[in-house]
Amino acid sequence: VSDPEPGEGLWAVEQGVPVVLVERSAPLGHPAAGLDRVRSDHAHGAAEAVAHLAGLGHRAIALAVQDSPTAPRLRVGYRAAVEALGLTPVSAAPLDGAPSRSEAKRFERTLEYLCEAVASGNVTAAIVHSDADAIVLIPRLQARGVRVPEDLAVIAYDDEVAGLADLPLTAVAPDKHAVGAAAARLLLDRLGATEPGAADPGAGESGRRPAARRHLDILPSLRIRVSCGAVAAAP
């Protein structure tokens, strides 16, 4: 549940059985905000990408993200890292204000944004979500005379197909297996776990109270390949 409409997501609370949100969250104040939750810390992943590029000497880093549930957290982490590291602010990508209705239009607008950013002489690096988008965009950038990574260092976000590109992409890799495993463990714990406690009216006849709810954030990792301009690690 992410920025739900009034009443949206209440079904998860009303099931009467243990529920664990996976890669989703509910805003504070929403009834589902008190459910167990496991998700990737996408804000941390974006910040790690910014920090890596800054460590390579880049001072103006663009962010190009498609419209998705992941995008808001990527923007939060990106902006926080740019501010914390004292980097040069970069104008927002066009998709931030008005998402494209078609995939072709999304690629066209993102391509123009990145080409103009490089041509300005300021932007030298970019984070692109998703890596499937980055795989499509890089040949188009090269066709427009933008060399990767010489003119524009690129880090993709997701790492589902980043390593398969003609130019292997450095990518932030959310650990989806770890998220799923943690959610399964949490659900199994919830099915039978209780915490010992002093008998009180809210503890039930057994004198034990339900285990505390948990919100778990799993940190993504950064996989270094060629597209960022750093020395690539072993596959």
Side-chain angles (χ1 to χ4, degrees):
V1 183
S2 179
D3 296 328
E5 299 294 330
E8 184 181 357
L10 293 180
W11 65 269
V13 184
E14 297 168 348
Q15 293 305 302
V17 296
V19 174
V20 178
L21 300 180
V22 180
E23 293 292 19
R24 292 293 183 270
S25 61
L28 295 175
H30 189 280
L35 294 173
D36 292 306
R37 182 197 77 206
V38 183
R39 67 180 184 182
S40 300
D41 191 339
H42 295 303
H44 177 87
E48 284 291 292
V50 171
H52 178 72
L53 291 168
L56 296 175
H58 299 283
R59 305 303 300 169
I61 301 166
L63 177 69
V65 299
Q66 60 172 278
D67 185 37
S68 73
T70 306
R73 301 306 304 163
L74 296 182
R75 294 186 184 107
V76 167
Y78 164 81
R79 291 166 185 157
V82 166
E83 181 177 353
L85 296 171
L87 303 180
T88 303
V90 174
S91 60
L95 299 184
D96 288 2
S100 293
R101 295 184 178 180
S102 71
E103 185 177 82
K105 191 65 175 177
R106 181 175 83 237
F107 288 137
E108 179 184 341
R109 294 172 67 196
T110 303
L111 176 65
E112 290 302 323
Y113 167 69
L114 292 175
C115 286
E116 290 173 6
V118 173
S120 72
N122 297 320
V123 171
T124 58
I127 301 165
V128 178
H129 170 59
S130 63
D131 50 335
D133 277 23
I135 285 177
V136 173
L137 285 167
I138 285 178
R140 298 184 182 188
L141 286 166
Q142 293 170 330
R144 294 277 294 270
V146 177
R147 299 170 300 164
V148 177
E150 293 86 353
D151 300 324
L152 184 71
V154 173
I155 293 182
Y157 198 96
D158 261 351
D159 201 35
E160 292 183 344
V161 292
L164 303 178
D166 291 337
L167 178 72
L169 304 176
T170 294
V172 177
D175 194 334
K176 298 174 184 179
H177 180 273
V179 169
R185 288 194 299 269
L186 191 53
L187 185 58
L188 290 172
D189 288 347
R190 179 61 59 195
L191 286 169
T194 56
E195 292 179 342
D200 61 58
E205 295 180 359
S206 67
R208 298 168 70 87
R209 64 175 62 93
R213 303 284 186 181
R214 282 172 280 178
H215 287 174
L216 304 179
D217 288 342
I218 308 296
L219 302 186
S221 59
L222 183 66
R223 295 177 180 167
I224 309 300
R225 298 190 180 97
V226 177
S227 65
C228 67
V231 176

